[in-house]
Amino acid sequence: MVTETSDLDANKGIAYRHLSLYEVNTKLPKAPGGSVALPEGAFWLLVTGEEPSAEEVKGMTEELHKRATIPANVMTTIDSLPKETHPMTQLSVAMLALQKDSKFFKKYQEGMKKDDYWSYALEDCLDVVAKVPIIAAKIYRRTFHDGKLPEYDPKLDWAANFAQMLGINQSEDFKEAMRLYLMLHADHEGGNVSAHATHLVGSALSDPYYAWAAGLCGLAGPLHGLANQECLSWLLDVQKQLGGQKPTKERWALSKMLVVFGNSSHSEDLMTDFANKTLKEGKVIPGFGHAVLRNTDPRYMLEREFALKHCTEDPLFQLVDSCYQAIPPVLLKQGKVKNPFPNVDAHSGQLMHFYNLKEQNFYTVVFAVSRTLGVMAQYIWSRAVSLPIERPKSLPLDELMILAKKH
Ligand code: NMX
Ligand code: MLT
């Protein structure tokens, strides 16, 4: 596949336009007083290939504010869904409801020239990026709270406004955690399930709304975006096994020492037991392993660094930290996993939970808000360089066997 926006190295992790996530986080403009790169700056980088100035990021934020309106019929469509509908389903439905206003679709019907595809794709993609956090907040408020949606605040940046619209935590720290989260989940090259699905559907010249609705359905799978929800449930189950007792500092220190020093009493370690039990039940340990990465995910490491600054006392962070030490040896021992190390989903849930975003069913929607940046940047480029319809040849098994024998 050809993907302009980012490239995943098995050991070093994702690079946005050849900049590692650490470089992105250091070099790109921050919110006043903040220390985390603004996600709309990452979007600028992904789309243009150039590092934006503070002025350019401010311009991008303002551009998104101008487009941040949701037609009443889309809100009504969301409200017509039963509240217990999974938030990812609500988001996919909302994306299709927004499609009515696609500029790409309209222009195509009017006979748009091929050379103009990219510019109407850009229009739609900016609209989608601007609207998705409001839709996500709306889904959150109606599903888990009183349905009242806090006012949109155009004085805030894209991520901070999303954080405040969730209506659960107005602290600067939560806004900063949200900026980090949305910056680092933005893109993971073209082959991951949601980006690939978006690309595939877009290659039929379905507009960005149709394409991202397809991608969202892929992101909703437990081996992909849903893993952060699953991972937090898994961690909370471990916590429950502790008998509801708050783990003492000493307990965690001991647990880490046992692992670090390769103590043979591993099997007594709760995490190890729990991990083994999960494997015996034929399940995967969510948040560990990766189809491409062969090392700890740098997104995990950036979230860990943030947590070390902001929430080392959180029992759930201590649990995540113990898993970081305890689970790779269990997976290595099992012998079939190509990458026993944690991916980003092993940490994200803890951060959200710490800032009072505790409804796990919503976590994949937060991932989706961020990933909108990457898949939309990819869509613009796919139309700009006229990538063809994606239509791989398939073969029945017997023909493949014949081919294999020939080689
Ligand atoms: N726990 C248990 N078994 C695992 C795990 C894990 N975390 N990861 C891989 N395996 C198994 C895998 O199921 C396969 O088993 P089998 O041969 O019986 O089919 C075997 O190890 C080899 O798999 P790999 O080649 O290492 O991994 P693959 O590329 O097939 O899958 C994932 C990659 C990410 C789907 C897999 O590692 C996994 O299921 N991880 C847990 C779910 C998860 O964290 N997903 C999130 C990915 C990141 N994201 O944000 O989307
Ligand atoms: C992602 O961020 O999309 C995941 O790590 C999955 C992948 O890259 O395959």
Side-chain angles (χ1 to χ4, degrees), residues 230-244 251-252 255 259 265-286 288 316 319 322-323 326-328 330-331 334:
E230 302 252 305
C231 192
L232 195 75
S233 308
W234 192 87
L235 288 171
L236 293 175
D237 270 358
V238 179
Q239 221 176 30
K240 222 189 280 163
Q241 296 255 323
L242 283 167
R251 170 78 185 92
W252 296 113
S255 129
V259 177
S265 60
H266 253 178
S267 59
E268 288 162 29
D269 182 74
L270 181 79
M271 228 72 61
T272 310
D273 283 352
F274 210 83
N276 276 321
K277 184 168 159 281
T278 306
L279 293 181
K280 271 201 201 100
E281 286 167 357
K283 298 179 190 158
V284 296
I285 301 177
F288 285 77
L316 214 49
L319 197 55
S322 296
C323 288
I327 290 176
V330 175
L331 287 173
Q334 187 209 31

Side-chain angles (χ1 to χ4, degrees), residues 188 192 224 290 299 367 371:
H188 223 228
N192 68 75
H224 189 19
H290 200 273
R299 300 174 294 181
F367 190 155
R371 188 52 59 88

Side-chain angles (χ1 to χ4, degrees), residues 6-79:
S6 67
D7 186 23
L8 181 59
D9 179 276
N11 290 304
K12 293 192 234 151
I14 194 68
Y16 295 172
R17 299 287 188 157
H18 306 293
L19 290 184
S20 74
L21 274 190
Y22 278 91
E23 289 168 325
V24 171
N25 202 33
T26 315
K27 291 182 159 188
L28 263 49
K30 326 267 182 288
S35 57
V36 164
L38 286 162
E40 50 272 61
F43 182 53
W44 180 290
L45 172 69
L46 291 168
V47 175
T48 67
E50 287 168 10
E51 289 172 36
S53 65
E55 215 34 51
E56 284 166 334
V57 175
K58 196 164 165 267
M60 172 63 81
T61 309
E62 280 162 13
E63 182 65 39
L64 295 176
H65 285 327
K66 279 188 225 149
R67 295 167 185 261
T69 51
I70 310 294
N73 69 291
V74 176
M75 292 303 202
T76 313
T77 303
I78 299 171
D79 279 328

Side-chain angles (χ1 to χ4, degrees), residues 220-227 284 345:
L223 297 189
H224 189 19
L226 205 80
V284 296
D345 293 329

